[in-house]
């Protein structure tokens, strides 16, 4: 991860401030930074979104393609995640530098979305055992300002809300084989039900307290963090402890309780925004009006 | 995901016959009316453990663990110089490589480490870091290589325990031994140390999750936590009884097991000499003797100096010298 270089004095300043529930930008420990979400920003995709969490910027593009279903679930479609760290975010991501981190994050997403009730994958099936929709969710990190996973999961949820999958009709031709016809009607699409899609909430332990939405400087002072994926009802679909330090029982309890509270609030806020901009497909830019 | 095109791998068009087996998932019962699981254990019972240290002669430290049918072997090389100049740091680095043997799981695994293995490697690294005195070996790294020979559930926990025993066998300075345990949680049941069958059986529509915890027992701190699946927050927090169970069970077994398995004089001194009382459960490897010559050297010489005590109590080495 792109890290800021901090001196011991700066770290002490941040840790002491957090002990008093005051962070360097004036937020409280469980407050998020200002989030900007835009949907339908890339016109070549089936769904896209752009998210800005002050200094962290992420663009997600979802492309729906047809392919073979996995043999263990022949009637379901699937999602494939790929996180790409662009060299814009940090010079250490140039070439293959961002690979390790990208694999780690793609795995986190894949793992969480593999849980059964997250998305209705059966609706993505076309012909049992032969053809299904595969949604390639590609996340590009343009700017790295801390708290990447949370930002990426918010953007992914927004992009999935924006995704339009063309309607498909399966015709039986004269020899008994099956022919697939994709509708070219601009209104002939179906959208995904994203109610159960979870969001990542990262809680970083700094000193004796935990903070939500750590900035790059705060991440340097953090000894351990808990990355939880929470759905809108507060259920956990994946918990991982990261970092080289250990956590005590009480910290763990506090952090998990806080995660549930923060997660539900985050879902609520995002759903409010998506009601307005979720179905936007105008393809924004400076030239297009 | 970029694929390695330089290696020649086997044909990819093959599929496991298990995928074609039709079986009724709803008929798999994890716990029956008497509260017994499929292998006759209670919900709170761990499988019997066997551990042995010093199994890889070329490595500085190594360990082998059997947790029921799950078999994991770990070798530790180091501390040695960092291989890449860019990784220079004033504290030591732990590099962990985790791999399932291709034949270890019901469905054949690929030769290349896949994403699950890379994730586990990262978790084990982070589980062991708080326990190791990293500041004692600056500019150096310790390589931990873990191989799962057979996966019958709880592979990650077995790997964490195995690698901490291997680290102690390598005489890497540590604050504490890391123990770990897995749990299978669902709406109304909590199964300790699940088998592979119990881990993958999913009950549709129900909340069910697999949880692995890594614990530093002496200081009661959690160093690893991985939860997969769907679970309610309050249900997850109820695992505190598990934590205290872990705290009580594994460390009480581990020190005596360590004393028994490890043959280095330094570790034996730490625990006040070898214990004659065998802990309940593990099998006794016959070749480890009761007496040993103190030796300052590690890596190979210690085994030659082991003196086996034969049945009549006479020292066999004496007999050999006379012949």
């Amino acid at each position: 991860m792109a890290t800021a270089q901090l001196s011991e004095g700066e770290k002490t300043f941040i840790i002491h401030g957090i002990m008093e529930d005051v962070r360097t930008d004036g937020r409280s420990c469980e407050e998020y930074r200002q989030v900007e979400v835009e949907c339908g920003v890339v016109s070549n995709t089936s769904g896209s979104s752009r998210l800005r969490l002050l200094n962290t910027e992420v663009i997600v593009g979802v492309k729906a393609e047809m392919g073979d279903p996995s043999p263990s679930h022949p009637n379901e479609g699937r999602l494939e995640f790929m996180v790409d760290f662009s060299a814009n975010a940090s010079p250490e991501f140039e070439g293959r530098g961002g690979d390790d981190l990208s694999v780690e994050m793609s795995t986190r997403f894949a793992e969480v979305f593999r849980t059964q009730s997250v998305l209705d994958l059966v609706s993505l099936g076309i012909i049992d055992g032969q053809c299904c929709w595969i949604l390639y969710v590609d996340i590009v990190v343009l700017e790295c300002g801390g708290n990447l996973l949370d930002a990426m999961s918010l953007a992914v949820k927004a992009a999935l809300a924006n995704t339009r999958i063309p309607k498909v009709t399966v015709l039986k031709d004269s020899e008994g084989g099956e022919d697939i016809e994709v509708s070219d009607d601009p209104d002939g699409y179906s959208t995904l039900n994203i109610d159960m899609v979870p969001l990542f909430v990262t809680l970083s332990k700094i000193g004796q307290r935990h903070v939500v939405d750590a900035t790059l400087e705060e991440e340097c002072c953090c000894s351990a963090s808990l990355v939880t994926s929470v759905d809108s009802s507060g259920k956990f679909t994946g918990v991982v402890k990261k970092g080289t330090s250990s956590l005590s029982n009480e910290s763990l309890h506090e952090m998990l309780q806080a995660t549930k509270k923060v997660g539900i609030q985050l879902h609520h806020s995002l759903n409010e925004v998506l009601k307005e901009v979720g179905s936007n497909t105008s393809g924004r830019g400076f030239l297009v009006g | 995901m970029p694929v390695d095109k330089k290696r020649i791998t086997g044909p990819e068009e093959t599929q496991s016959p298990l995928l074609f087996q039709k079986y009724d998932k709803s008929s798999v019962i994890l716990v029956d009316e008497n509260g017994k699981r499929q292998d006759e254990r209670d919900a709170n019972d761990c499988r019997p453990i066997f551990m042995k240290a010093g199994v890889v002669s070329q490595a500085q430290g190594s360990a082998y663990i059997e947790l029921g049918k799950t078999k994991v072997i770990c070798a530790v090389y180091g501390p040695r110089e960092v291989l890449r100049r860019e990784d220079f740091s004033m504290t030591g680095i732990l590099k962990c490589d985790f791999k399932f043997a291709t034949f270890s799981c019901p469905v054949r695994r690929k030769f290349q480490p896949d994403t699950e293995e890379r994730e586990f490697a990262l978790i084990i690294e982070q589980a062991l870091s708080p326990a190791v005195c990293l500041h004692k070996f600056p500019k150096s790294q310790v390589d931990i290589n873990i191989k799962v020979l057979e996966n019958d559930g709880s592979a990650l926990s077995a790997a964490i325990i195995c690698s901490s025993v291997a680290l102690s066998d390598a005489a890497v300075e540590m604050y504490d031994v890391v123990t770990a345990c897995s749990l299978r949680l669902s709406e109304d049941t909590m199964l300790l140390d699940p088998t592979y069958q119990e881990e993958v059986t999913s009950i549709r529509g129900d909340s069910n999750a697999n949880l692995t915890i890594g614990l530093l027992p002496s200081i009661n701190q959690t160093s690893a936590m991985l939860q997969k699946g769907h679970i309610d927050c309050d249900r997850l927090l109820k695992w505190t009884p598990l934590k205290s169970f872990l705290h009580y069970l594994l460390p009480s077994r581990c020190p005596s097991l360590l004393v028994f398995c490890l043959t280095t004089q330094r570790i034996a001194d730490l625990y006040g000499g070898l214990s004659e009382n065998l802990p309940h459960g593990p099998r006794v490897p016959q070749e480890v003797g009761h007496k040993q010559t103190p030796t300052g050297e590690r890596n190979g010489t210690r085994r030659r100096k082991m003196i086996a005590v034969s049945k009549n109590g006479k020292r066999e080495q004496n007999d050999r010298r006379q012949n």
Side-chain angles (χ1 to χ4, degrees), chain A residues 174-192:
Chain A
S174 45
E175 289 105 47
E178 286 164 325
D179 221 13
I180 300 170
E181 199 181 277
V182 180
S183 151
D184 53 0
D185 178 11
D187 293 322
Y189 60 83
S190 59
T191 51
L192 294 168

Side-chain angles (χ1 to χ4, degrees), chain A residues 141-157:
Chain A
V141 177
L142 297 174
E143 208 182 328
C144 200
N147 203 18
L148 278 175
L149 270 173
D150 294 22
M152 288 198 274
S153 71
L154 284 164
V156 162
K157 187 164 184 181

Side-chain angles (χ1 to χ4, degrees), chain A residues 13-273:
Chain A
F13 180 73
I14 293 175
I15 295 172
H16 284 184
I18 285 168
M19 265 162 48
E20 309 288 328
D21 198 20
V22 175
R23 292 155 80 172
T24 47
D25 47 8
R27 287 183 285 155
S28 79
C29 287
E30 290 180 4
E31 232 180 283
Y32 265 85
R33 288 171 284 183
Q34 193 180 16
V35 183
E36 289 170 25
V37 180
E38 264 184 320
C39 286
V41 289
V42 181
S43 45
N44 285 336
T45 54
S46 313
S48 59
S49 71
R50 183 188 79 91
L51 187 129
R52 198 171 181 88
L53 197 67
L54 207 74
N55 286 341
T56 304
E57 185 162 2
V58 164
I59 289 192
V60 176
V62 179
K63 279 189 106 67
E65 295 196 356
M66 292 197 272
D68 298 325
S70 76
S72 42
H73 301 284
N75 60 339
E76 289 178 357
R78 60 179 189 274
L79 276 83
E80 302 265 341
F81 288 88
M82 177 65 195
V83 179
D84 179 18
F85 284 90
S86 84
N88 283 348
S90 162
E92 66 197 48
F93 297 144
E94 205 176 6
R96 312 233 13 212
D99 266 7
D100 282 338
L101 203 55
S102 131
V103 161
E104 194 192 321
M105 302 218 164
S106 314
T107 322
R108 283 274 84 228
F109 275 101
E111 207 41 69
V112 157
F113 276 79
R114 201 184 305 169
T115 316
Q116 288 141 23
S117 41
V118 164
L119 264 186
D120 183 16
L121 296 173
V122 179
S123 64
L124 294 176
I126 304 172
I127 303 174
D128 269 14
Q130 283 180 38
C131 196
C132 70
W133 284 112
I134 303 180
L135 297 180
Y136 288 100
V137 182
D138 299 307
I139 305 161
V140 177
V141 177
L142 297 174
E143 208 182 328
C144 200
N147 203 18
L148 278 175
L149 270 173
D150 294 22
M152 288 198 274
S153 71
L154 284 164
V156 162
K157 187 164 184 181
L160 286 172
N162 189 237
T163 304
R164 290 178 172 190
I165 298 175
K167 282 219 163 67
V168 162
T169 32
V170 181
L171 306 163
K172 289 216 180 322
D173 63 15
S174 45
E175 289 105 47
E178 286 164 325
D179 221 13
I180 300 170
E181 199 181 277
V182 180
S183 151
D184 53 0
D185 178 11
D187 293 322
Y189 60 83
S190 59
T191 51
L192 294 168
N193 179 6
I194 49 126
D195 287 340
M196 300 304 288
V197 171
L199 291 177
F200 281 118
V201 176
T202 308
L203 255 79
S204 314
K205 178 133 187 280
I206 298 178
Q208 296 302 318
R209 298 195 62 156
H210 54 262
V211 298
V212 155
D213 191 20
T215 61
L216 213 54
E217 291 82 30
E218 287 166 347
E219 276 178 0
C220 289
C221 312
C222 150
S223 47
S225 60
L226 211 61
V227 177
T228 321
S229 118
V230 196
D231 73 7
S232 44
S233 61
K235 271 197 174 182
F236 293 165
T237 44
V239 179
V240 157
K241 175 245 161 213
K242 282 173 134 28
T244 52
S245 191
S246 53
L247 294 168
S248 68
N249 269 354
E250 298 75 34
S251 296
L252 213 50
H253 267 249
E254 260 177 48
M255 284 165 96
L256 289 172
Q257 302 273 24
T259 307
K260 181 177 176 179
K261 198 174 64 163
V262 169
I264 296 176
Q265 274 173 2
L266 200 62
H267 271 279
H268 187 68
S269 315
L270 184 68
N271 286 339
E272 295 283 311
V273 172

Side-chain angles (χ1 to χ4, degrees), chain B residues 29-38 42:
Chain B
I29 307 161
L30 291 179
V31 183
D32 67 15
E33 321 79 48
N34 300 331
K36 295 277 182 204
R37 297 199 264 182
Q38 297 210 325
D42 280 335

